[in-house]
Amino acid sequence: MDSVEISQADTFPFGRGLIQIVDVPPLDPSIYSLTPDEAEFFKAATGIDDDDISRTHILRAQEKAYKVAPYPCIFDFAFVRMWITKQPVYQDILDIGRERPGAIFLDLGCCFSVDSRKLAFDGFPARGIISSDIKEEFLELSHFLFRTSNDTWAGHSIPGDVLDPEMLSVAPIARGPKVGSPPDLSTLTSLNPLHGHCSVINVSCFLHLFTEEQQLHLARALAGLLSPEPGSLICGTQFSQKETGNVTTFFGSSKPILFCHSPESWMELWDGIVFEKGEVEVKVDTRPFLITGQTLDNMVWSVKRL
């Protein structure tokens, strides 16, 4: 990745909704921080045991990613937070990886694929992990951050735009017995061959980047990917508010607008609109989250097949 040079535009489209970042703020290394659990993981996963060297390495990865796309989550180090470990269903995900033959974990909008790497570190078979992002450079930077290569990391990467039907189309929800044999993950160039085969789908800090209509479309698309086996689940985190609607956020001199569901509307979307009523168990928890100086409600949610 050292040879990749991407210019940083003054105006940068962010997501596919109402968001635009103007006058991109410069990075601020002084806000770098890791929790003890995060520091322990990154040391073990990168093989860099020295705190100062590890900090320098993560800052280099951040700088490279910020040149690709100056997202607030990169500026504010949200990309190191191991979001999936904050899921109450995290142990369930690990159990699926250990107990279900051929289990497939899809990490969508993965950025550096930190959730995928942490999951593999904790025991989910890496050969069943797929990381996907619209920015192929992020998938390459995952190798830089974790000091791996395609030869040393058994997981798979599929770049692409999830709103492109060639990448991800809406398919009927799989019901009844398990549907056929899964595809060879190493040959995939889109997510469509995974319809009905994904054991777990993770969308951390992702869906709030889209409009209300796009969020519903993507929820239906994700539902079509999910395995019919009981216990299969979709989980994620995203900003929310008490009343469904647009939220103005702040990043530098920009004011990106996000469409945010309420916990109630999010539960109703999955249980009754996307899936038939009573077909899934939906759990939602909201927690305050500070990003770029603004505190927002952050939903931690899961949708489990019954």
Side-chain angles (χ1 to χ4, degrees), residues 4-84:
V4 176
E5 295 183 1
I6 300 176
S7 62
Q8 183 171 302
D10 291 332
T11 302
F12 194 91
F14 183 40
R16 295 291 295 268
L18 306 174
I19 308 167
Q20 193 172 63
I21 297 175
V22 184
D23 298 328
V24 177
L27 292 173
D28 180 4
S30 71
I31 64 175
Y32 170 88
S33 67
L34 296 180
T35 67
D37 285 346
E38 290 161 357
E40 180 182 359
F41 165 66
F42 278 101
K43 285 180 180 180
T46 64
I48 301 174
D49 195 50
D50 182 274
D51 286 328
D52 290 337
I53 297 176
S54 179
R55 177 183 182 274
T56 298
H57 178 67
I58 292 174
L59 289 176
R60 285 190 65 201
Q62 179 203 33
E63 183 179 6
K64 289 173 179 288
Y66 205 62
K67 290 179 180 179
V68 175
Y71 293 166
C73 62
I74 295 173
F75 175 90
D76 220 23
F77 294 97
F79 67 90
V80 302
R81 298 301 170 217
M82 305 189 307
W83 291 103
I84 197 166

Coordinates of all heavy atoms in Angstrom, one line a residue, residues 4-84:
V4 N 0.5 3.4 -3.1 CA -0.8 3.9 -3.5 C -0.9 5.3 -3.0 O -0.7 5.7 -1.8 CB -1.9 3.1 -2.8 CG1 -3.3 3.7 -3.2 CG2 -1.9 1.6 -3.4
E5 N -1.1 6.2 -3.9 CA -1.3 7.6 -3.6 C -2.7 8.1 -4.1 O -2.9 8.0 -5.3 CB -0.2 8.5 -4.2 CG 1.2 8.2 -3.6 CD 2.3 9.1 -4.2 OE1 1.9 9.9 -5.0 OE2 3.4 8.9 -3.9
I6 N -3.5 8.6 -3.2 CA -4.9 9.0 -3.6 C -5.0 10.4 -3.1 O -4.9 10.7 -1.9 CB -6.0 8.1 -3.0 CG1 -5.7 6.7 -3.6 CG2 -7.3 8.6 -3.4 CD1 -6.7 5.7 -3.0
S7 N -5.4 11.4 -4.0 CA -5.5 12.7 -3.5 C -6.8 12.9 -2.7 O -7.8 12.2 -2.9 CB -5.6 13.7 -4.8 OG -6.7 13.3 -5.6
Q8 N -6.7 13.9 -1.8 CA -7.9 14.1 -0.9 C -8.6 15.4 -1.4 O -8.1 16.5 -1.5 CB -7.3 14.4 0.5 CG -8.4 14.6 1.5 CD -7.8 14.6 2.9 OE1 -7.2 13.6 3.3 NE2 -8.0 15.7 3.6
A9 N -9.8 15.2 -1.9 CA -10.6 16.3 -2.4 C -11.1 17.2 -1.3 O -11.3 16.8 -0.2 CB -11.8 15.7 -3.2
D10 N -11.4 18.4 -1.7 CA -12.0 19.3 -0.7 C -13.5 18.9 -0.4 O -13.9 19.2 0.7 CB -12.0 20.8 -1.2 CG -10.5 21.3 -1.3 OD1 -9.7 20.8 -0.5 OD2 -10.3 22.2 -2.1
T11 N -14.1 18.4 -1.4 CA -15.5 18.0 -1.2 C -15.5 16.5 -1.4 O -15.1 16.0 -2.5 CB -16.5 18.7 -2.2 OG1 -16.4 20.1 -2.0 CG2 -17.9 18.2 -2.0
F12 N -16.1 15.8 -0.5 CA -16.0 14.3 -0.5 C -17.4 13.7 -0.2 O -17.9 13.9 0.8 CB -15.0 13.7 0.5 CG -14.6 12.3 0.2 CD1 -13.6 12.0 -0.6 CD2 -15.4 11.3 0.8 CE1 -13.2 10.6 -0.8 CE2 -15.1 9.9 0.6 CZ -14.0 9.6 -0.3
P13 N -18.0 13.0 -1.2 CA -19.3 12.4 -0.9 C -19.1 11.2 0.1 O -18.2 10.5 0.0 CB -19.7 11.8 -2.3 CG -18.5 11.7 -3.1 CD -17.5 12.8 -2.6
F14 N -20.0 11.2 1.0 CA -19.9 10.2 2.1 C -21.2 9.4 2.2 O -22.2 9.9 2.5 CB -19.7 11.0 3.4 CG -19.4 10.1 4.6 CD1 -18.7 9.0 4.6 CD2 -20.0 10.5 5.9 CE1 -18.4 8.2 5.7 CE2 -19.8 9.7 7.0 CZ -19.0 8.6 6.9
G15 N -21.1 8.1 2.0 CA -22.3 7.3 1.9 C -23.0 7.5 0.7 O -22.5 8.0 -0.3
R16 N -24.3 7.1 0.7 CA -25.1 7.2 -0.5 C -26.4 8.0 -0.2 O -27.4 8.0 -0.9 CB -25.5 5.8 -1.0 CG -24.4 5.0 -1.4 CD -23.7 5.5 -2.7 NE -24.7 5.4 -3.8 CZ -24.8 4.4 -4.6 NH1 -24.0 3.4 -4.5 NH2 -25.7 4.4 -5.6
G17 N -26.4 8.8 0.9 CA -27.6 9.5 1.3 C -27.4 11.0 1.2 O -26.9 11.5 0.2
L18 N -27.6 11.7 2.3 CA -27.6 13.2 2.3 C -26.3 13.7 2.8 O -26.2 14.9 3.1 CB -28.7 13.7 3.3 CG -30.1 13.2 3.0 CD1 -31.1 13.7 4.1 CD2 -30.6 13.7 1.6
I19 N -25.3 12.9 2.9 CA -24.0 13.2 3.5 C -23.0 13.7 2.6 O -22.8 13.2 1.5 CB -23.5 12.0 4.3 CG1 -24.6 11.4 5.2 CG2 -22.3 12.4 5.1 CD1 -24.2 10.1 5.7
Q20 N -22.3 14.8 3.0 CA -21.2 15.3 2.2 C -20.2 16.0 3.2 O -20.7 16.7 4.1 CB -21.7 16.3 1.1 CG -20.6 16.7 0.1 CD -21.2 17.5 -1.0 OE1 -21.6 18.6 -0.8 NE2 -21.2 17.0 -2.2
I21 N -19.0 15.7 3.0 CA -17.9 16.3 3.8 C -17.2 17.4 3.0 O -16.6 17.1 2.0 CB -17.0 15.2 4.3 CG1 -17.7 14.2 5.2 CG2 -15.8 15.9 5.1 CD1 -16.9 13.1 5.6
V22 N -17.2 18.6 3.5 CA -16.5 19.7 2.9 C -15.4 20.2 3.9 O -15.6 20.2 5.1 CB -17.5 20.8 2.6 CG1 -16.8 22.0 1.8 CG2 -18.7 20.3 1.8
D23 N -14.3 20.6 3.3 CA -13.1 21.1 4.1 C -12.7 20.1 5.1 O -12.9 20.2 6.3 CB -13.5 22.4 4.8 CG -13.8 23.6 3.8 OD1 -13.2 23.6 2.7 OD2 -14.7 24.4 4.1
V24 N -12.2 19.0 4.6 CA -11.8 17.9 5.5 C -10.8 18.3 6.5 O -9.8 18.9 6.3 CB -11.2 16.8 4.6 CG1 -10.7 15.6 5.5 CG2 -12.2 16.3 3.5
P25 N -11.1 18.1 7.8 CA -10.2 18.5 8.9 C -9.0 17.6 8.9 O -9.0 16.4 8.6 CB -11.1 18.3 10.2 CG -12.1 17.2 9.8 CD -12.4 17.5 8.4
P26 N -7.8 18.2 9.3 CA -6.6 17.4 9.4 C -6.7 16.4 10.6 O -7.4 16.6 11.6 CB -5.5 18.4 9.6 CG -6.2 19.6 10.3 CD -7.6 19.6 9.7
L27 N -5.9 15.3 10.4 CA -5.9 14.3 11.5 C -5.2 14.9 12.8 O -4.4 15.8 12.7 CB -5.1 13.1 11.1 CG -5.8 12.3 10.0 CD1 -4.8 11.1 9.5 CD2 -7.1 11.7 10.4
D28 N -5.6 14.4 13.9 CA -5.1 14.9 15.2 C -4.6 13.7 16.0 O -5.4 13.0 16.7 CB -6.2 15.6 16.0 CG -5.8 16.1 17.3 OD1 -4.5 16.0 17.6 OD2 -6.6 16.7 18.0
P29 N -3.3 13.3 15.9 CA -2.8 12.2 16.6 C -3.0 12.2 18.1 O -2.9 11.2 18.8 CB -1.3 12.2 16.2 CG -1.2 13.0 15.0 CD -2.3 14.0 15.1
S30 N -3.2 13.4 18.7 CA -3.3 13.5 20.1 C -4.6 12.9 20.7 O -4.6 12.6 21.9 CB -3.3 15.0 20.6 OG -4.5 15.7 20.2
I31 N -5.6 12.6 19.8 CA -6.8 12.0 20.3 C -6.7 10.4 20.3 O -7.7 9.7 20.6 CB -8.0 12.5 19.6 CG1 -8.0 12.1 18.1 CG2 -8.2 14.0 19.7 CD1 -9.3 12.4 17.3
Y32 N -5.6 9.9 19.8 CA -5.4 8.5 19.8 C -5.5 7.9 21.2 O -4.9 8.4 22.1 CB -4.0 8.1 19.2 CG -3.6 6.7 19.3 CD1 -3.9 5.8 18.4 CD2 -2.8 6.3 20.4 CE1 -3.5 4.4 18.5 CE2 -2.4 5.0 20.6 CZ -2.8 4.0 19.6 OH -2.4 2.7 19.7
S33 N -6.3 6.8 21.3 CA -6.3 6.1 22.6 C -6.9 4.7 22.3 O -7.7 4.5 21.4 CB -7.2 6.8 23.6 OG -8.6 6.8 23.2
L34 N -6.4 3.8 23.1 CA -6.9 2.4 23.1 C -7.2 2.0 24.5 O -6.6 2.3 25.4 CB -5.8 1.4 22.5 CG -5.3 1.6 21.1 CD1 -4.3 0.5 20.8 CD2 -6.5 1.5 20.1
T35 N -8.3 1.2 24.6 CA -8.6 0.6 25.9 C -7.6 -0.6 26.1 O -6.9 -1.0 25.2 CB -10.0 0.0 25.9 OG1 -10.1 -1.1 25.0 CG2 -11.1 1.0 25.5
P36 N -7.4 -1.0 27.3 CA -6.5 -2.1 27.6 C -6.8 -3.4 26.7 O -5.9 -4.0 26.2 CB -6.7 -2.5 29.1 CG -7.1 -1.1 29.7 CD -8.0 -0.5 28.6
D37 N -8.1 -3.7 26.5 CA -8.5 -4.8 25.6 C -8.1 -4.6 24.2 O -7.6 -5.5 23.5 CB -10.0 -5.1 25.7 CG -10.4 -5.7 27.0 OD1 -9.5 -6.2 27.8 OD2 -11.6 -5.8 27.3
E38 N -8.3 -3.4 23.7 CA -7.9 -3.0 22.3 C -6.4 -3.1 22.2 O -5.9 -3.7 21.2 CB -8.5 -1.6 22.0 CG -10.0 -1.6 21.8 CD -10.5 -0.2 21.9 OE1 -9.7 0.8 22.2 OE2 -11.8 0.0 21.8
A39 N -5.7 -2.5 23.1 CA -4.2 -2.6 23.0 C -3.7 -4.0 23.0 O -2.8 -4.4 22.3 CB -3.6 -1.8 24.2
E40 N -4.3 -4.8 23.9 CA -3.8 -6.2 23.9 C -4.1 -7.0 22.6 O -3.3 -7.7 22.1 CB -4.6 -6.9 25.1 CG -4.2 -8.4 25.3 CD -5.0 -9.1 26.4 OE1 -5.8 -8.4 27.0 OE2 -4.8 -10.3 26.6
F41 N -5.3 -6.7 22.1 CA -5.6 -7.4 20.8 C -4.7 -6.9 19.7 O -4.2 -7.8 18.9 CB -7.1 -7.1 20.4 CG -7.4 -7.4 19.0 CD1 -7.4 -8.7 18.5 CD2 -7.7 -6.4 18.0 CE1 -7.7 -9.0 17.2 CE2 -8.0 -6.7 16.7 CZ -7.9 -8.0 16.3
F42 N -4.5 -5.6 19.5 CA -3.7 -5.2 18.4 C -2.2 -5.6 18.6 O -1.6 -5.9 17.6 CB -3.8 -3.6 18.3 CG -5.0 -3.2 17.5 CD1 -6.1 -2.7 18.2 CD2 -5.0 -3.3 16.1 CE1 -7.2 -2.3 17.5 CE2 -6.2 -2.9 15.4 CZ -7.3 -2.4 16.1
K43 N -1.7 -5.7 19.8 CA -0.4 -6.2 20.0 C -0.3 -7.7 19.5 O 0.6 -8.1 18.8 CB 0.0 -6.1 21.4 CG 0.4 -4.7 21.9 CD 0.7 -4.7 23.3 CE 1.1 -3.3 23.8 NZ 1.5 -3.3 25.3
A44 N -1.3 -8.4 19.9 CA -1.3 -9.9 19.6 C -1.5 -10.1 18.1 O -0.8 -10.9 17.5 CB -2.3 -10.6 20.4
A45 N -2.4 -9.3 17.5 CA -2.8 -9.5 16.1 C -1.7 -9.0 15.2 O -1.5 -9.6 14.0 CB -4.1 -8.8 15.8
T46 N -0.9 -8.0 15.6 CA 0.1 -7.4 14.7 C 1.5 -8.0 15.0 O 2.4 -7.8 14.1 CB 0.1 -5.9 14.8 OG1 0.5 -5.5 16.1 CG2 -1.2 -5.3 14.4
G47 N 1.7 -8.5 16.2 CA 3.0 -9.0 16.6 C 3.9 -7.8 17.0 O 5.1 -8.0 17.2
I48 N 3.3 -6.6 17.2 CA 4.0 -5.5 17.7 C 3.8 -5.3 19.2 O 2.7 -4.9 19.6 CB 3.6 -4.2 16.9 CG1 3.9 -4.4 15.4 CG2 4.4 -3.0 17.5 CD1 3.4 -3.2 14.6
D49 N 4.7 -5.6 20.0 CA 4.5 -5.6 21.5 C 4.8 -4.3 22.1 O 4.3 -4.0 23.3 CB 5.3 -6.7 22.1 CG 4.9 -7.0 23.5 OD1 3.7 -7.2 23.7 OD2 5.7 -7.0 24.4
D50 N 5.5 -3.4 21.5 CA 5.9 -2.1 22.1 C 4.8 -1.1 21.9 O 4.3 -0.9 20.7 CB 7.2 -1.6 21.4 CG 7.7 -0.3 22.0 OD1 7.2 0.8 21.5 OD2 8.5 -0.3 22.9
D51 N 4.4 -0.4 22.9 CA 3.2 0.5 22.8 C 3.5 1.7 21.9 O 2.6 2.0 21.1 CB 2.9 1.1 24.2 CG 2.3 0.1 25.1 OD1 1.5 -0.7 24.6 OD2 2.5 0.2 26.4
D52 N 4.7 2.2 21.9 CA 5.0 3.4 21.0 C 5.0 2.9 19.5 O 4.5 3.6 18.7 CB 6.3 4.0 21.4 CG 6.2 4.7 22.7 OD1 5.1 5.1 23.1 OD2 7.3 4.9 23.4
I53 N 5.6 1.8 19.3 CA 5.7 1.3 17.9 C 4.3 0.9 17.4 O 3.9 1.2 16.3 CB 6.7 0.1 17.8 CG1 8.1 0.5 18.2 CG2 6.6 -0.5 16.4 CD1 9.1 -0.6 18.2
S54 N 3.5 0.3 18.3 CA 2.1 0.0 17.9 C 1.3 1.3 17.6 O 0.6 1.3 16.6 CB 1.5 -0.8 19.0 OG 0.1 -1.1 18.7
R55 N 1.5 2.3 18.4 CA 0.8 3.6 18.2 C 1.2 4.1 16.8 O 0.4 4.6 16.0 CB 1.1 4.5 19.3 CG 0.5 5.9 19.1 CD 1.0 6.9 20.2 NE 0.4 8.2 20.1 CZ 0.9 9.2 19.4 NH1 2.0 9.0 18.7 NH2 0.3 10.4 19.3
T56 N 2.5 4.2 16.5 CA 3.0 4.7 15.3 C 2.4 3.9 14.1 O 2.0 4.5 13.1 CB 4.5 4.6 15.2 OG1 5.0 5.5 16.3 CG2 5.1 5.1 13.9
H57 N 2.4 2.6 14.2 CA 1.8 1.7 13.2 C 0.4 2.0 12.9 O -0.1 2.2 11.7 CB 2.0 0.3 13.5 CG 1.5 -0.7 12.5 ND1 2.1 -0.8 11.3 CD2 0.5 -1.6 12.6 CE1 1.4 -1.7 10.6 NE2 0.4 -2.2 11.4
I58 N -0.4 2.1 14.0 CA -1.9 2.4 13.8 C -2.1 3.8 13.2 O -3.0 4.0 12.4 CB -2.6 2.2 15.1 CG1 -2.6 0.8 15.5 CG2 -4.0 2.7 15.0 CD1 -3.1 0.5 16.9
L59 N -1.3 4.8 13.6 CA -1.4 6.1 13.1 C -1.0 6.1 11.6 O -1.7 6.9 10.8 CB -0.5 7.1 13.8 CG -0.9 7.4 15.3 CD1 0.2 8.3 15.9 CD2 -2.3 8.1 15.3
R60 N -0.1 5.3 11.2 CA 0.3 5.2 9.7 C -0.9 4.6 8.9 O -1.2 5.1 7.9 CB 1.5 4.4 9.5 CG 2.8 5.0 9.9 CD 4.0 4.2 9.4 NE 4.0 4.1 8.0 CZ 4.7 3.2 7.3 NH1 5.3 2.2 8.0 NH2 4.7 3.2 6.0
A61 N -1.5 3.6 9.5 CA -2.7 3.0 8.9 C -3.8 4.0 8.8 O -4.5 4.1 7.7 CB -3.1 1.8 9.6
Q62 N -4.1 4.8 9.8 CA -5.1 5.8 9.8 C -4.8 6.8 8.7 O -5.7 7.2 8.0 CB -5.2 6.5 11.2 CG -6.2 7.6 11.3 CD -5.9 8.6 12.4 OE1 -4.8 8.9 12.7 NE2 -7.0 9.1 13.0
E63 N -3.6 7.3 8.6 CA -3.2 8.3 7.6 C -3.5 7.8 6.2 O -4.0 8.5 5.4 CB -1.8 8.7 7.8 CG -1.3 9.8 6.9 CD 0.1 10.2 7.1 OE1 0.8 9.5 7.9 OE2 0.6 11.1 6.5
K64 N -3.1 6.5 6.0 CA -3.3 6.0 4.6 C -4.8 5.9 4.3 O -5.3 6.2 3.2 CB -2.7 4.6 4.6 CG -1.2 4.6 4.5 CD -0.6 3.2 4.6 CE 0.9 3.1 4.6 NZ 1.4 3.5 3.2
A65 N -5.6 5.4 5.3 CA -7.1 5.3 5.1 C -7.7 6.6 4.9 O -8.7 6.8 4.1 CB -7.7 4.5 6.3
Y66 N -7.3 7.6 5.6 CA -7.9 9.0 5.5 C -7.7 9.6 4.2 O -8.5 10.4 3.7 CB -7.3 9.9 6.6 CG -8.1 11.0 7.1 CD1 -9.4 10.8 7.7 CD2 -7.7 12.3 7.0 CE1 -10.2 11.8 8.1 CE2 -8.5 13.4 7.4 CZ -9.7 13.1 8.0 OH -10.5 14.2 8.4
K67 N -6.6 9.2 3.5 CA -6.4 9.7 2.1 C -7.3 9.0 1.2 O -7.6 9.6 0.1 CB -4.9 9.4 1.7 CG -3.9 10.3 2.5 CD -2.5 10.0 2.0 CE -1.5 10.9 2.7 NZ -0.1 10.5 2.4
V68 N -7.7 7.8 1.5 CA -8.7 7.1 0.6 C -10.1 7.7 0.8 O -10.8 7.9 -0.2 CB -8.7 5.6 1.0 CG1 -9.8 4.8 0.2 CG2 -7.3 4.9 0.7
A69 N -10.5 7.8 2.0 CA -11.8 8.4 2.3 C -11.8 9.0 3.7 O -11.6 8.3 4.7 CB -12.8 7.3 2.3
P70 N -11.9 10.3 3.8 CA -11.8 11.0 5.1 C -13.1 10.9 6.0 O -13.8 11.9 6.2 CB -11.5 12.4 4.7 CG -12.2 12.6 3.4 CD -12.0 11.3 2.7
Y71 N -13.3 9.7 6.4 CA -14.5 9.4 7.2 C -14.3 9.8 8.7 O -13.2 9.7 9.2 CB -14.9 7.9 7.2 CG -15.3 7.4 5.8 CD1 -15.4 6.0 5.6 CD2 -15.7 8.3 4.8 CE1 -15.8 5.5 4.4 CE2 -16.1 7.8 3.5 CZ -16.1 6.4 3.4 OH -16.5 5.9 2.1
P72 N -15.4 10.3 9.3 CA -15.3 10.6 10.8 C -14.8 9.5 11.6 O -14.1 9.6 12.6 CB -16.7 11.0 11.1 CG -17.3 11.6 9.9 CD -16.7 10.7 8.8
C73 N -15.2 8.2 11.3 CA -14.8 7.1 12.0 C -13.3 6.8 12.0 O -12.8 6.2 12.9 CB -15.6 5.8 11.6 SG -15.3 5.3 9.9
I74 N -12.7 7.2 10.9 CA -11.2 7.1 10.7 C -10.6 8.3 11.5 O -9.6 8.0 12.2 CB -10.8 7.1 9.3 CG1 -11.4 5.9 8.6 CG2 -9.3 7.2 9.1 CD1 -11.2 5.8 7.1
F75 N -11.1 9.5 11.4 CA -10.5 10.6 12.1 C -10.5 10.4 13.6 O -9.6 10.7 14.3 CB -11.4 11.8 11.8 CG -11.0 13.1 12.6 CD1 -10.0 13.9 12.1 CD2 -11.6 13.4 13.8 CE1 -9.7 15.1 12.8 CE2 -11.2 14.5 14.5 CZ -10.3 15.4 14.0
D76 N -11.6 9.8 14.1 CA -11.9 9.7 15.6 C -11.5 8.3 16.1 O -11.8 8.0 17.3 CB -13.3 10.0 15.9 CG -13.5 10.8 17.1 OD1 -12.6 11.5 17.5 OD2 -14.6 10.7 17.7
F77 N -10.8 7.5 15.3 CA -10.3 6.2 15.8 C -11.4 5.2 16.1 O -11.2 4.3 16.9 CB -9.3 6.3 16.9 CG -8.0 7.0 16.6 CD1 -7.9 8.3 16.9 CD2 -7.0 6.3 15.9 CE1 -6.7 9.0 16.5 CE2 -5.8 7.0 15.6 CZ -5.7 8.3 15.9
A78 N -12.6 5.5 15.6 CA -13.7 4.5 15.9 C -13.4 3.2 15.2 O -14.0 2.2 15.6 CB -15.1 5.1 15.4
F79 N -12.5 3.2 14.2 CA -12.2 1.9 13.5 C -11.5 0.9 14.4 O -11.4 -0.2 14.0 CB -11.4 2.2 12.2 CG -10.1 2.8 12.4 CD1 -9.0 1.9 12.5 CD2 -9.8 4.1 12.5 CE1 -7.7 2.4 12.7 CE2 -8.6 4.7 12.7 CZ -7.5 3.8 12.8
V80 N -10.9 1.3 15.5 CA -10.2 0.4 16.3 C -11.1 -0.2 17.5 O -10.6 -1.0 18.3 CB -8.9 1.0 17.0 CG1 -8.0 1.6 15.9 CG2 -9.3 2.1 18.0
R81 N -12.3 0.1 17.5 CA -13.1 -0.1 18.7 C -13.7 -1.6 18.8 O -14.4 -1.9 19.8 CB -14.3 0.9 18.8 CG -13.8 2.3 18.9 CD -13.0 2.5 20.1 NE -12.4 3.9 20.1 CZ -11.1 4.1 20.5 NH1 -10.4 3.2 21.0 NH2 -10.7 5.4 20.5
M82 N -13.4 -2.4 17.9 CA -13.8 -3.8 18.0 C -15.3 -3.9 18.3 O -15.8 -4.5 19.3 CB -13.0 -4.6 19.1 CG -11.5 -4.5 18.9 SD -10.6 -5.6 20.0 CE -11.2 -5.2 21.6
W83 N -16.1 -3.3 17.4 CA -17.6 -3.1 17.7 C -18.3 -4.4 18.0 O -19.2 -4.5 18.8 CB -18.2 -2.4 16.5 CG -17.8 -0.9 16.4 CD1 -16.9 -0.4 15.6 CD2 -18.2 0.1 17.3 NE1 -16.7 0.9 15.8 CE2 -17.5 1.3 16.8 CE3 -19.1 0.2 18.3 CZ2 -17.7 2.5 17.4 CZ3 -19.3 1.5 18.9 CH2 -18.6 2.6 18.5
I84 N -17.9 -5.4 17.3 CA -18.6 -6.7 17.4 C -18.5 -7.3 18.8 O -19.4 -8.0 19.3 CB -18.1 -7.7 16.4 CG1 -19.1 -8.9 16.2 CG2 -16.7 -8.3 16.7 CD1 -18.9 -9.7 15.0

